Amino acid sequence: MFSPVRIATFAALLLSGVAQAAEPLSIDVHRDANCGCCKDWIKHLEANGFKVNDQVETNMSAVKQRLGVPAGLASCHTGVIDGKFVEGHVPAAQIVELTKRADLVGMAVPGMPAGSPGMDYGQPHQAYQVIGLSKAGSAEVVAQYAADE
Ligand SMILES: [Cu+2]
């Protein structure tokens, strides 16, 4: 016998699968023309089913300011999905989470940690955190990735 909880979980899995198949998540990515790791992050998004609208910019600091990215969370590229910012090398899984979190206005991976998506060039992986920013301006850790042993 299936427990009611199991059946509900199975139904939720089915529904999320259907939603993904029907409508790929669409994201704008603002970046400098010569940013190689930005392009590699775009490849990571596309490999995870995102539809990327690639936007080459001449003044990324102005873009970040306009989109409300706090200076302390800044990285290279800035994505925008559902009106929320995605700053730096945020993994696809957390971007999906961001679209479901009504309380957050954006997420960021500050700096450019080695081993984050688009920053994997064979060097030792650094530990890093994905930070979520609330409407009220408070930051929370939404995910942590460990360094290499
Ligand atoms: Cu980068």
Side-chain angles (χ1 to χ4, degrees):
M1 281 290 285
F2 288 112
S3 73
V5 173
R6 278 200 173 158
I7 292 167
T9 305
F10 183 60
L13 281 173
L14 270 182
L15 282 174
S16 67
V18 168
Q20 263 177 7
E23 200 183 329
L25 289 172
S26 181
I27 183 168
D28 292 342
V29 177
H30 303 272
R31 64 171 177 91
D32 276 322
N34 298 318
C35 180
C37 60
C38 301
K39 290 183 212 165
D40 286 345
W41 184 67
I42 288 173
K43 283 185 205 150
H44 164 75
L45 298 184
E46 288 173 341
N48 282 278
F50 283 79
K51 190 178 160 293
V52 176
N53 179 20
D54 185 12
Q55 314 236 4
V56 174
E57 305 284 351
T58 50
N59 186 349
M60 277 308 297
S61 8
V63 169
K64 290 178 198 305
Q65 207 164 17
R66 173 164 58 80
L67 295 172
V69 180
L73 297 183
S75 179
C76 40
H77 51 261
T78 306
V80 180
I81 188 163
D82 295 349
K84 302 172 175 188
F85 70 78
V86 181
E87 178 68 12
H89 292 260
V90 178
Q94 276 75 55
I95 303 174
V96 172
E97 185 184 339
L98 177 62
T99 64
K100 297 171 182 168
R101 289 277 306 264
D103 57 323
L104 295 181
V105 296
M107 277 188 191
V109 171
M112 300 209 290
S116 58
M119 283 298 295
D120 202 348
Y121 299 115
Q123 72 283 59
H125 292 187
Q126 294 173 262
Y128 69 94
Q129 296 180 324
V130 183
I131 307 294
L133 190 73
S134 75
K135 283 178 184 156
S138 63
E140 71 171 85
V141 177
V142 293
Q144 314 213 44
Y145 291 86
D148 286 340
E149 294 289 301

Coordinates of all heavy atoms in Angstrom, one line a residue, residues 35 37-38 76-77 89 112 119, ligand 1:
C35 N 33.9 38.6 -21.2 CA 33.9 37.8 -20.0 C 33.7 36.3 -20.3 O 32.6 35.9 -20.6 CB 32.7 38.3 -19.1 SG 32.6 37.3 -17.6
C37 N 34.2 33.6 -18.3 CA 33.5 32.8 -17.3 C 32.0 33.1 -17.3 O 31.2 32.2 -16.9 CB 34.1 33.0 -15.9 SG 34.0 34.7 -15.3
C38 N 31.6 34.3 -17.8 CA 30.1 34.6 -17.9 C 29.5 33.7 -19.0 O 28.4 33.1 -18.8 CB 29.9 36.0 -18.3 SG 30.6 37.2 -17.2
C76 N 30.7 39.0 -11.5 CA 30.9 39.5 -12.9 C 29.5 39.8 -13.5 O 29.1 40.9 -13.6 CB 31.7 38.4 -13.6 SG 31.3 36.7 -13.3
H77 N 28.8 38.7 -14.1 CA 27.6 38.9 -14.8 C 26.4 39.1 -13.8 O 26.5 38.7 -12.6 CB 27.3 37.7 -15.7 CG 27.4 36.4 -15.0 ND1 28.5 35.6 -15.0 CD2 26.6 35.8 -14.1 CE1 28.4 34.6 -14.2 NE2 27.2 34.7 -13.7
H89 N 28.0 33.5 -10.2 CA 28.0 32.1 -10.6 C 27.1 31.2 -9.8 O 27.5 30.2 -9.2 CB 29.4 31.5 -10.6 CG 30.3 32.1 -11.7 ND1 30.5 31.5 -12.9 CD2 30.9 33.4 -11.7 CE1 31.3 32.3 -13.6 NE2 31.5 33.4 -13.0
M112 N 34.1 35.3 -7.4 CA 34.1 34.3 -8.5 C 34.8 33.0 -7.9 O 35.9 32.7 -8.3 CB 34.7 34.8 -9.7 CG 34.1 36.0 -10.3 SD 34.2 36.2 -12.1 CE 36.0 36.5 -12.2
M119 N 33.0 28.4 -13.4 CA 34.3 28.7 -12.9 C 35.1 27.5 -12.6 O 35.9 27.4 -11.7 CB 34.2 29.5 -11.6 CG 33.8 31.0 -11.7 SD 35.1 31.9 -12.6 CE 36.5 31.8 -11.5
Ligands
CU1 CU 32.7 35.1 -13.6

